[in-house]
Amino acid sequence: MSRNLLILGAAPDLGELRDTLVRLEDTIIFALIERSQFKHNSDIYKAGKMHFKDGYRGSFVSWFLKEVEHVHAKVRRYNSPDEYPFTDNLPEPVLPPLEYPPVLVDPQNININDEIFNVYVNTVVPGITSVGDDKNYGSSATRDIECLQALSRRIHYGKFVAESKFQDPKTHDEYVRLIKEKNRDRLMELLTNTRVEELLLKRLKAKAIIYGQDLSTASLDANGNINSGCSLLATTASADASDERVKSRVNYDLVVSLYRDYVIPLTKEVEIEYLLHRLD
């Protein structure tokens, strides 16, 4: 059973954080698979395509996200230090506040959800969906919000990663010196672990291949077991499996590129911004 890292009262160690981030990989992959079952439905991302009786002038997804976050704010979702809204001017909770131990030192309240939203709408959605409009606007937007919230949580967890690294006695003094110097480049070098990133990308590809399999055509024997001749788990578990052998409900190369080109860099952006203000 995993521990609730938000109530420890001290920065969790990197091992505990990695366990949480690995579980978030599963959440993100399954959310992408769910969104990929619908067409692109590009109209839901365009402002002015739908008429709102409340006078809202943005896109359908933006309106839907705003309404969902208004409800979530009322039940204290954004009181949690690992949750960050995409919407401004949210209502106050209707429940008594929850008290979390002060683990993070974040005077700037760093939030890069605008960047996450743009990457998701302009790069991720076109990559995981087929071109067209199936009119499943509500279902598509619901899956979009699940994806956005999972990506936001994963990326902003960089604050906890940065705090854990900052507290490490082996590197603490070096971090303090670089923060005082405002040395972004050297901070980036210090917090980057290339080997961990390479292993993460390999694990992601293997997960995306396995989780994304279409088992609807699987052949079962009399005992309900998958026949050994099927090109399923045993075949596709390799991260080097070829496109010809694997039929996937989600483009697993896109999942890898999403992490390599956006999730990892944006997480590091959060870490750097957090560290630069850590001594404020």
Side-chain angles (χ1 to χ4, degrees):
M1 180 181 294
S2 63
R3 294 196 294 168
N4 186 343
L5 303 184
L6 304 181
I7 62 174
L8 296 179
D13 64 42
L14 288 178
E16 292 174 317
L17 285 169
R18 286 184 182 127
D19 288 343
T20 299
L21 298 181
V22 167
R23 290 194 299 274
L24 279 170
E25 293 169 10
D26 300 344
T27 300
I28 290 169
I29 291 172
F30 281 117
L32 294 174
I33 290 171
E34 287 297 307
R35 177 59 182 91
S36 69
Q37 68 182 303
F38 304 108
K39 299 285 189 180
H40 186 179
N41 295 327
S42 60
D43 281 356
I44 67 176
Y45 308 106
K46 298 175 182 176
K49 277 291 184 178
M50 297 187 185
H51 174 69
F52 298 94
K53 293 182 179 180
D54 61 2
Y56 186 76
R57 296 181 179 276
S59 69
F60 177 68
V61 164
S62 296
W63 178 86
F64 202 158
L65 181 59
K66 173 178 68 73
E67 294 297 315
V68 167
E69 291 195 330
H70 269 69
V71 174
H72 289 182
K74 290 181 178 181
V75 292
R76 305 181 296 201
R77 176 169 188 162
Y78 303 110
N79 282 21
S80 176
D82 66 338
E83 296 283 0
Y84 295 85
F86 289 81
T87 307
D88 296 326
N89 302 317
L90 290 172
E92 293 297 317
V94 297
L95 301 172
L98 295 173
E99 298 296 332
Y100 292 95
V103 174
L104 298 178
V105 181
D106 184 21
Q108 302 296 312
N109 194 26
I110 298 160
N111 183 331
I112 64 167
N113 276 340
D114 286 346
E115 291 182 66
I116 295 171
F117 185 89
N118 288 333
V119 167
Y120 178 78
V121 170
N122 297 317
T123 302
V124 177
V125 175
I128 62 174
T129 60
S130 54
V131 176
D133 189 320
D134 58 18
K135 305 301 180 183
N136 285 304
Y137 295 161
S139 297
S140 298
T142 299
R143 303 310 179 199
D144 285 331
I145 292 170
E146 292 170 357
C147 289
L148 285 165
Q149 290 176 332
L151 287 168
S152 174
R153 187 164 181 253
R154 166 60 178 82
I155 289 167
H156 287 99
Y157 243 92
K159 296 182 184 183
F160 290 94
V161 174
E163 181 64 26
S164 180
K165 292 177 179 178
F166 177 82
Q167 296 284 359
D168 187 342
K170 292 180 292 186
T171 54
H172 176 74
D173 290 345
E174 179 73 355
Y175 273 113
V176 170
R177 181 179 67 82
L178 295 173
I179 291 169
K180 289 180 177 179
E181 295 174 359
K182 303 294 183 183
N183 192 333
R184 287 176 174 269
D185 293 341
R186 184 68 186 96
L187 280 170
M188 181 66 75
E189 292 175 9
L190 188 58
L191 61 80
T192 297
N193 188 327
T194 303
R195 180 176 176 275
V196 169
E197 292 177 8
E198 291 173 349
L199 291 174
L200 182 155
L201 294 177
K202 290 180 179 179
R203 182 174 66 246
L204 271 173
K205 184 168 185 178
K207 284 183 175 182
I209 290 172
I210 294 172
Y211 298 166
Q213 290 177 98
D214 182 0
L215 302 183
S216 61
T217 58
S219 175
L220 304 179
D221 62 22
N223 296 319
N225 299 315
I226 297 175
N227 286 326
S228 59
C230 291
S231 175
L232 294 168
L233 294 181
T235 305
T236 60
S238 167
D240 297 322
S242 66
D243 289 356
E244 290 74 23
R245 286 188 299 152
V246 182
K247 180 182 179 182
S248 179
R249 292 175 295 167
V250 67
N251 183 333
Y252 45 85
D253 285 330
L254 184 138
V255 174
V256 173
S257 66
L258 168 63
Y259 261 74
R260 182 189 63 237
D261 300 335
Y262 299 105
V263 173
I264 293 175
L266 288 175
T267 301
K268 289 182 179 180
E269 179 182 328
V270 168
E271 292 182 44
I272 292 292
E273 290 302 318
Y274 176 85
L275 288 169
L276 286 174
H277 296 282
R278 178 59 179 78
L279 302 178
D280 289 357

